[in-house]
Structures are given as C-alpha cells and as structure tokens.
Amino acid sequence: MIHPMTNEPTTSVESAESSEKSEKRSILEQSEHSLVRWFVDRDLPKYRAKQVLSAIYQRRIDSFSDMTELPKELRAKLDEQFCIFKSKTAESQQSEDGTEKLLLELPDGGRIECVLLRDGPRRSVCLSSQVGCAMGCVFCASGLDGVDRNLTRGEILEQALKLQRLLEPEERLSHIVMMGMGEPLANLRNVLDALDVARDSEYGLGISPRRITISTVGLPPAIDKLAEAHSPFQLAISLHAPNDELRTRLVPVNKNIGIEAIMAATERYFAVTSRRLTFEYVLLKDLNDTPQCAEQLVKLLRRRTAMLNVIPYNPVPGLPYETPSSETILEFRRILMEGGINVMFRQRKGNDIQAACGQLRRLREREPQIVTLSTDV
Ligand code: SAH
C-alpha cells in the first residue's frame, strides 16, 4: 500500500517488528487496516479491530484483559501477541501552571519528551517526532547531539496516550502540536500515519485536524507533498529570522534552502489548502530582537495570509542565548502591530519544568557527566 501523502510504502512497521521475534508486537504500530487483517486471518469478526482500538484510544484501557467486551480467549490471544505500551516513563514533572512533562525511555534506550499543556478548556499535547534532531538550530536543546532515529507511528501515538492518561476522566485531549523533539517533515510518513489515528473519530482520538499543528523548520519538498495531498493539518514554519544571513546563523539548514524557497512553498501550500499558516519566531536577545528585524519581518509577511507567533526564548542551560527584556519585546511587538502583521505573543508555559523541547532529556543526560574528583588521585 502507498501512503497518499508521502507516496511511500506503508508496511515497514510489520517487517521491522518481525526482527524482534521474542518481543510482542506493539498494537499502536497497527493501522486499522492491518488489525482488521489480523482478525480476518484468524476467522474472527473484523468489527473486533475497531473495538480493540477504541478501547485503547478512546476508553483509555491499558490492558487486553480489561477489555471485557471481548471474549476471554480473544483477550488472551491478543495479550499473547501484542503489547499496548513499549516505553517506560523515566521521569514525569508537573509545573505549577498545570503543564506536565514526561521523559519516555524506548526499548532501544532512546529517550523522548512529550508535554501536556492545560490552558483554559484546552488540553494540548506537544509530541516528539524523532529521537534527537538533525536540524541543528543553535539555540535548541533537542539537536545538540544530532538525530538518532525517526520515531515510529506507534511511538508518536504512545506519547499522546500516556499524556491522555494523565487527564481526569471527563477531560479530553483537544489539540496536538508536533513541536517536541525532532523535525516532523523529516519523518513525514510516520507522523501522518500517527495523526490519521489522532483525527479519527470512530476509533481514534477524534481531534479535529484544524487543531493539529505540524511545526517545521521549513523543508520545501515535504511542504509540497503535504500540499499535493491536501493536508488537513495546520502548518507552522519556524522562521526565527527575517533574512537569510541571520537565519542561517540560527537555523543552519537554511543555508541550502533559503527563506524565499520556503515562502514559495508556503504559498503553494496555501493555494491548495486555504489553510492559514503560522510562522514561529523565537526571540533571542541581541540577535533577532532588534527594531530592524521587526521592520524586515513586516516587509516579509505584510501581504501574506499568515499569523506570526512570537515566542520568548526559554533559556537552555549551557547555551549562551538569552530572553530579551520586556521593553525590547514590547518595542518589537509595536513595530509588527503598526506594520499590520497578524501577530500573537505567546506566553511561556512550564518554565519551571524544562518544558522547551529537548531540555529535560539533555539535563538528565548531562547529570552523569558531572565528575566528582576524589581526593586520592
Ligand atoms: N523541528 C520543528 C519542530 C520542533 S521545535 C521546528 O523547527 O519547528 C518546535 C519549536 O520550538 C520551534 O519553533 C523551535 O525553534 C522552538 N524552540 C526550540 N527550542 C526553544 C527554546 N529553548 N525556547 C523557545 N522555543 C524553542
């Protein structure tokens, strides 16, 4: 089968799984289609597939034995062949503002972060798409050690489900942002497979695609693939600078791409999907927070149907970047507003729990490196 958005075959999960013969297969890696096939192959009614999936995604059931609507033998059979979760929660943190962050450890030792944000009635989750990141943005903790690998669809969904289980029974997940570790457009197929389950209302999480945002550093060929496939998801472009010289300093992959190519790709995306784009702009003291930068941004974005999301930098221990003063931020905002830019200044959340992407993992990896010198050397 070919995935409609990426034109790539969609069956790699099962072959990857079969190499781990001794381990149970993860049910989160199964599409509805492949699970239906599992039932049909065993002469079992295919409606059971949806029952099993909705028990996991909608009713938050964590073990096959608790799926009491299924016959006992079937529960035992599923339990023999599949597991639901593969990761261990290595750490969880809760912020005073209700933000919760999990550090998950995958069976191969890879560590990823995901965050639950509570904002009024919103219950948003911020998910990772890769272990590490290859984009190398100089201010970001996720990419400091490069990328290890792409996450599978099940590993992306597992983050959402573990965060969903932190909610009260009457609360529901309302938004997803792919703004955790990694570059989602460098792992497009698995991200889209996971998001298809997230938006499915029959058995999945039932989150409207308008409330699902894919955030990218801006990779034009992948943006075109999304456009060609009429992606229903919101797209956010991490711009961070109004000119190529500065952007390449902050976001090194820009060197071979350039702002103009990204703008052209976003226009093609808009022409096809009519979805308003968002540009993200992390404000870094004395780097991209000057009045000249604000003026250049006005010129760049003035005639576009776009929203600019300005985010104060969340300092990363060990990196030299700082958050601008509130006066600088206000002046930056004034210029953008006077220039007619649709701008939103985002509040930082989870400051007290290292909630910016990659920060918690980095902190935990660094700890063992603190060497205590013993007196007898
Ligand atoms: N690779 C994707 C998605 C992950 S990062 C992207 O670049 O969009 C999600 C957003 O968080 C990006 O805009 C990124 O630049 C920003 N970000 C990373 N580190 C940050 C920090 N310490 N403080 C504030 N924003 C940060």
Side-chain angles (χ1 to χ4, degrees):
M1 208 166 105
I2 300 292
H3 192 287
M5 293 209 187
T6 60
N7 295 326
E8 290 168 38
T10 57
T11 46
S12 66
V13 165
E14 282 175 321
S15 49
E17 290 274 306
S18 59
S19 62
E20 308 168 14
K21 283 201 185 69
S22 57
E23 285 200 19
K24 293 184 192 182
R25 295 196 288 167
S26 161
I27 199 142
L28 305 184
E29 301 297 355
Q30 307 298 315
S31 63
E32 187 210 348
H33 178 80
S34 65
L35 199 59
V36 164
R37 211 175 48 212
W38 187 90
F39 280 89
V40 171
D41 287 349
R42 284 157 188 79
D43 291 326
L44 293 164
K46 62 181 186 186
Y47 71 87
R48 295 285 187 206
K50 255 186 205 150
Q51 261 183 332
V52 170
L53 294 174
S54 71
I56 297 169
Y57 291 106
Q58 300 183 339
R59 285 185 289 125
R60 308 179 198 179
I61 291 180
D62 289 347
S63 79
F64 296 110
S65 57
D66 289 340
M67 296 182 188
T68 47
E69 68 280 24
L70 305 180
K72 244 193 169 132
E73 320 80 78
L74 177 56
R75 286 185 251 163
K77 199 173 204 142
L78 284 164
D79 193 40
E80 204 182 276
Q81 303 233 345
F82 294 108
C83 64
I84 299 179
F85 292 130
K86 285 200 135 183
S87 70
K88 279 194 313 218
T89 302
E91 190 166 337
S92 73
Q93 293 189 337
Q94 180 151 25
S95 160
E96 282 175 5
D97 63 18
T99 304
E100 289 187 70
K101 179 159 192 161
L102 300 179
L103 180 66
L104 302 183
E105 184 165 321
L106 303 168
D108 67 359
R111 290 176 153 216
I112 51 169
E113 300 177 9
C114 54
V115 185
L116 168 69
L117 298 115
R118 293 182 166 89
D119 191 6
R122 285 184 181 211
R123 298 291 174 270
S124 311
V125 290
C126 174
L127 308 181
S128 295
S129 55
Q130 299 180 309
V131 182
C133 184
M135 300 299 114
C137 303
V138 294
F139 52 84
C140 175
S142 299
L144 290 174
D145 300 314
V147 66
D148 288 339
R149 66 173 176 88
N150 283 341
L151 293 177
T152 62
R153 54 174 277 150
E155 290 165 339
I156 296 167
L157 286 164
E158 181 154 343
Q159 299 169 62
L161 293 184
K162 287 216 157 167
L163 294 166
Q164 179 204 40
R165 267 94 172 138
L166 301 175
L167 297 176
E168 297 298 325
E170 68 280 6
E171 292 180 304
R172 286 192 67 228
L173 292 185
S174 63
H175 293 72
I176 294 183
V177 292
M178 295 303 303
M179 289 191 187
M181 289 165 55
E183 168 51 46
L185 295 197
N187 184 17
L188 189 57
R189 196 187 69 208
N190 294 347
V191 166
L192 292 177
D193 283 348
L195 294 183
D196 280 345
V197 179
R199 64 184 284 224
D200 185 282
S201 52
E202 266 189 90
Y203 66 86
L205 294 173
I207 301 175
S208 157
R210 282 175 292 117
R211 295 173 166 190
I212 298 179
T213 302
I214 302 178
S215 178
T216 174
V217 78
L219 306 177
I223 295 173
D224 283 340
K225 279 188 182 170
L226 283 174
E228 279 158 25
H230 295 260
S231 159
F233 305 112
Q234 296 294 135
L235 191 62
I237 310 282
S238 294
L239 188 62
H240 306 327
N243 61 67
D244 277 327
E245 192 257 316
L246 182 57
R247 189 165 197 265
T248 299
R249 265 169 69 200
L250 302 177
V251 181
V253 289
N254 188 62
K255 186 161 189 269
N256 302 317
I257 302 172
I259 293 176
E260 212 181 294
I262 295 174
M263 290 299 170
T266 59
E267 257 153 43
R268 292 191 291 273
Y269 183 85
F270 182 73
V272 172
T273 66
S274 304
R275 300 227 147 278
R276 189 180 66 178
L277 283 127
T278 305
F279 290 95
E280 308 274 329
Y281 196 98
V282 172
L283 270 185
L284 301 159
K285 187 177 169 193
D286 298 336
L287 277 168
N288 64 359
D289 63 344
T290 60
Q292 295 89 303
C293 281
E295 282 152 18
Q296 287 180 17
L297 262 181
V298 169
K299 287 209 184 94
L300 187 66
L301 300 179
R302 199 163 31 203
R303 271 179 290 278
R304 296 174 200 273
T305 315
M307 162 85 128
L308 180 69
N309 216 341
V310 181
I311 314 148
Y313 182 58
N314 203 339
V316 175
L319 292 184
Y321 307 99
E322 291 174 47
T323 316
S325 68
S326 32
E327 295 82 71
T328 309
I329 297 177
L330 280 176
E331 176 59 5
F332 199 83
R333 178 196 174 113
R334 188 191 62 75
I335 298 171
L336 291 167
M337 308 253 294
E338 281 182 8
I341 302 299
N342 203 346
V343 61
M344 199 168 89
F345 277 69
R346 218 199 282 156
Q347 291 276 322
R348 271 198 327 226
K349 287 216 147 231
N351 272 356
D352 50 332
I353 60 162
Q354 308 289 331
C357 53
Q359 285 193 11
L360 181 60
R361 180 183 79 136
R362 180 111 194 122
L363 199 71
R364 292 300 167 253
E365 273 164 12
R366 298 216 114 190
E367 265 169 5
Q369 294 170 11
I370 300 169
V371 181
T372 323
L373 289 175
S374 71
T375 44
D376 54 21
V377 239

